[in-house]
Amino acid sequence: MAFYKKQFNERHNVYYPVAVTVGKPVETKEVAERLSQISTVSKSDVAAVLGDLPAVLADLMKQGKSVRLEGLGTFRYTLDTEGVENEADFDLQKQLKAVRVQFTPAKEGGTTKGSTATRSLVPTGIEWIELSPSAAATEDPGTGEDGGQEESPL
């Protein structure tokens, strides 16, 4: 089950449902445990590979590549920059505010005209339950597309 809460948008004067995460993020150790349960690989082997994944992705992306992990999605660098009016003032180092990683979930289906594609990380039939205001106050959930995570340093 997934959670949502009602959020008021003052600019448009309407309420929107917003996805909410509760509790602490699931750590690599638990992901490794679950992956080892459904495969022939040990938990420590899975954890070792997951631990090396960020460095491998960063190395490939700094070569100007995007990285597609089948069934998961594609990772690529994007830039947060400031513009300049005159081309003579163009200086990447002065204009660059941040380098970010954009993740685009993989699609399933929808390869022919008129068919429907779905994101592999977004299964059909998600059960959405409204998070009560009292639970939201005690859980301190994150909201929005980034799942309540802090801004990425990449």
Side-chain angles (χ1 to χ4, degrees), residues 21-27 30 139-141 149:
T21 58
V22 295
K24 296 179 181 178
V26 175
E27 299 293 337
E30 184 177 339
E139 291 287 344
D140 191 26
Q149 300 297 312

Side-chain angles (χ1 to χ4, degrees), residues 7-16:
Q7 184 166 310
F8 186 70
N9 181 308
E10 292 181 13
R11 181 176 180 193
H12 297 286
N13 205 33
V14 295
Y15 286 91
Y16 289 98

